[in-house]
Amino acid sequence: MTWTSVWGTLRAGARVQGDRGSEAIQAAIVTPLLIAFLCLAIAAGRLTVSGGKADAAAEDAARAASLERTQLAAQSAAADAATRSLEDQGVHCASTDVDVDASGLSVPVGQVGYVTVTVRCTVDLSDLLLPGAPGTKTLTSSFTSVVDAFRARQDA
């Protein structure tokens, strides 16, 4: 055995000894990034699912409003339908706002009218504990439903 081969072996062994603990440092750097990515994925999923459910609530509310005969009854029916739809689908909104444009109920019989409902649902994201993320996000969804042209209407 020559001195150069022994020296190369010692040097290689010394290098391996000097790398001790590097996995712990790498884990300490990567773990918070993975947790942040996981929280972002959960937030994106929650917003996507809640957005779809807000769309369904707006559809339900617009349909309920278009079946009423007066604007006041349409507003009440839309608010009830939106709230019930969100509750049935398991969406927990910090606040819910339902705007109804029931002017289509005022058109004369024989003409087509439209009822538009806008549902705003504020989703709470503060439980994710994601730094820099907003505490809430407001989702807005609108839907327009046709009022039957030959359905009797009342002025209110």
Side-chain angles (χ1 to χ4, degrees), residues 50 86-87 89-96 121-124:
S50 296
L86 289 170
E87 287 175 359
Q89 296 181 60
V91 177
H92 303 288
C93 299
S95 66
T96 305
C121 173
T122 303
V123 179
D124 188 20

Side-chain angles (χ1 to χ4, degrees), residues 119-137:
V119 175
R120 287 181 194 80
C121 173
T122 303
V123 179
D124 188 20
L125 299 175
S126 62
D127 60 339
L128 294 178
L129 302 174
L130 187 62
T136 59
K137 174 76 175 160

Side-chain angles (χ1 to χ4, degrees), residues 2 10-11 16 25 32 34 41 57 61 66-67 71 85 90 120 134 150:
T2 63
L10 289 174
R11 203 170 64 193
V16 171
I25 293 172
L34 289 175
S66 69
L67 294 175
Q71 290 185 7
S85 178
R120 287 181 194 80
F150 299 103

